[in-house]
Structures are given as structure tokens and as C-alpha cells.
Amino acid sequence: MRVASVLVLPVLVLALVLVAARRVRVEDRDVAWLAGGRLPDPAVADVYRRYLHRHRAHRTVGGWFGVLLAVTYGLTAQDAIRLGTTPGSPLGDVLLCGLAGVVAGALSAEVYRSALPPGPVVASLAPHPRPRGGAAVRAARLLAAGGLVVGVVAAVTGGVGPALGGAAAGAVLVGTAEVARAAVVDRRRPLLSPVAAQVDDRIRAFASGALARLELAAGAVGLAWALSGAAAEARQTAVTAVLAVVVPVLLVLALVQLYRARPRPPHTFVPAAPVGAAAA
């Protein structure tokens, strides 16, 4: 059975990657959405296109890396799971690792932009757009703190490693999102032309809101991971039943935030006609 799984897994992963590769492509409709509703000039559109492509590629690679990591662990720990010595559900590990991978990939796409330009910079004095998603950031901090509390208590009382490890992973993702969001919001920018400044404002506004939602997703994943690990060692049926309801709710919250933070226009978005076409 294990040999068959090892042979089928690469083929399945290759097929899924090929399907996901189509999702990485950036269309004119996507560029028009990020640009504010209308497809800009080719030079400006190229900036938006490269940003969206990087964001989608990082999310895709991060998500599949997390899934492969969980599947590899599940295959190597198969005997231990069958004997009941390894807590947790293999399917749950795949979902949690996949979600964490998508969050990490999206954060890496934003951190990529956080470095200052090389050489001397004449900073623009124009005000930056206000950051979005303050409520989501505060909720993410609370969830991350709750996950750490659950992980530490579980590790001290029952020696549950997965609970503390999952909580720590969620806290690291939340901290990375905080750093990336601060860099996007506060990073100085060189003195730009009006068009370049508008592009920078559009990307900053989207990035700050997306990072806030990603931070909330990371906090939810971390707390769900910690509770899942604690539930595996829980001896009380009532506690296990409560956690069996709370963990799926947290995962649904993470999925909703990931969906709303996606670098894609909504299905109802219709780009406006180009300026030349409107004039004609």
C-alpha cells in the first residue's frame, strides 16, 4: 500500500501543479481591477501584472509545499498513526499545513517588496494611504496569544508537542505579517511621478488590507492547530466535543480570510472601457 502511494503521489502532484499553474496567469481584467477599474497604459500595467503574478505564484508554491510536507509526514508516520502513537488526523494535518503554506507564501510575496531601494533616495513627502484592516489585526493578535496559551498549557500538563508547535507556527506567521504590514505601510518611497505615485498607492492599499486578512488567517490556523493537538490527548469527552466544533469554525474563518485576501477581482467586476475607446 505504501509503495502504491509513493508511486501515485508524484503523478497526482504534477497534475495538480499543472492545474494550479493556470491560476497564476494574470489577465487584463485582473490588472484593471487592481488599477482601479480601467486597464492602464502598457508600462503601468506591467507593474501591476508583475505584482499580481508574484503574489499568486508565492501563494501557490507555499500552499503546495505545505500539502506535500503534510503528506510526506503522513506517509512516513503511517505505522505510528495506525498503532495510535501519533495524535492528530492526517487529513487535518494536510489542511492545516496547506493553509499555513498559502499564508507564508503570500507573506513572502509582500516581504519581497519591503526592502528599501539601493543608493541615496529622495523621499516623497506625500502622505501614504491609511492602512486597512485594523480590526482583523487586533483579532489576529488575540487568536495568536490564545494559541500560545493553549500550546503552553498542553505542553506543561500533557506533554503535547504538536499543540505547542502549531501555536508557535501560527505566532511566527502572525509576527511575519506584522513586520510585512508595517514595512508596506511605513516604508518610505522615492520621489515619484504622479502616475508612479498612484500605482504605489494602489498597491500599498491592497497589500495592507490583504496582509491584515492573512494575519487573521494565520492566527486562526495557529489556534486551530493548538486546539487540534490538545484535543488529541484530551481525556474528557465534553472537552473533545467542544474542540471538535471550535476547530472547524477556526478553519472556516481562515479559509474565508484567505479567499478575501486573494489577489483576484470579484466575479462581479467588469473593467471600464479604455480611455481611447471611450473617447472614440
Side-chain angles (χ1 to χ4, degrees), residues 49-275:
R49 197 180 306 275
R50 285 187 283 112
Y51 173 81
L52 289 173
H53 185 272
R54 182 179 70 246
H55 211 293
R56 294 178 182 181
H58 283 228
R59 285 167 65 107
T60 301
V61 171
W64 285 118
F65 178 79
V67 169
L68 286 176
L69 187 65
V71 170
T72 302
Y73 171 77
L75 290 176
T76 55
Q78 190 175 16
D79 294 336
I81 293 174
R82 186 183 298 114
L83 294 174
T85 58
T86 301
S89 167
L91 182 59
D93 291 340
V94 169
L95 180 59
L96 288 170
C97 288
L99 286 175
V102 172
V103 173
L107 293 179
S108 70
E110 291 299 340
V111 172
Y112 178 84
R113 298 185 65 253
S114 62
L116 290 173
V121 177
V122 180
S124 172
L125 298 179
H128 295 173
R130 295 184 59 185
R132 301 176 179 178
V137 171
R138 291 188 291 271
R141 294 169 182 170
L142 292 176
L143 291 176
L148 288 175
V149 170
V150 171
V152 170
V153 171
V156 171
T157 59
V160 182
L164 183 58
V172 169
L173 290 175
V174 169
T176 305
E178 291 272 357
V179 173
R181 190 168 181 270
V184 168
V185 173
D186 299 330
R187 179 174 64 93
R188 63 175 181 170
R189 59 185 177 184
L191 191 61
L192 303 172
S193 67
V195 175
Q198 183 181 9
V199 173
D200 185 76
D201 288 344
R202 295 289 307 176
I203 291 179
R204 280 182 197 251
F206 166 77
S208 64
L211 284 170
R213 298 190 183 281
L214 291 171
E215 187 173 343
L216 179 55
V221 168
L223 180 56
W225 218 333
L227 292 174
S228 178
E233 292 294 327
R235 296 292 183 264
Q236 298 180 1
T237 306
V239 174
T240 304
V242 171
L243 295 182
V245 175
V246 174
V247 171
V249 170
L250 290 172
L251 292 180
V252 170
L253 173 62
L255 287 171
V256 169
Q257 296 305 316
L258 282 176
Y259 180 80
R260 299 185 67 180
R262 72 196 190 284
R264 297 182 181 279
H267 297 293
T268 57
F269 172 75
V270 177
V275 177

Side-chain angles (χ1 to χ4, degrees), residues 15-31 33 46 48-64 102 105 109 262-265:
L16 292 175
V17 169
L18 292 176
V19 173
R22 298 188 60 185
R23 302 282 293 173
V24 178
R25 292 188 305 178
V26 179
E27 307 291 342
D28 290 344
R29 177 174 177 270
D30 306 326
V31 176
W33 163 73
D46 183 64
Y48 288 121
R49 197 180 306 275
R50 285 187 283 112
Y51 173 81
L52 289 173
H53 185 272
R54 182 179 70 246
H55 211 293
R56 294 178 182 181
H58 283 228
R59 285 167 65 107
T60 301
V61 171
W64 285 118
V102 172
R262 72 196 190 284
R264 297 182 181 279

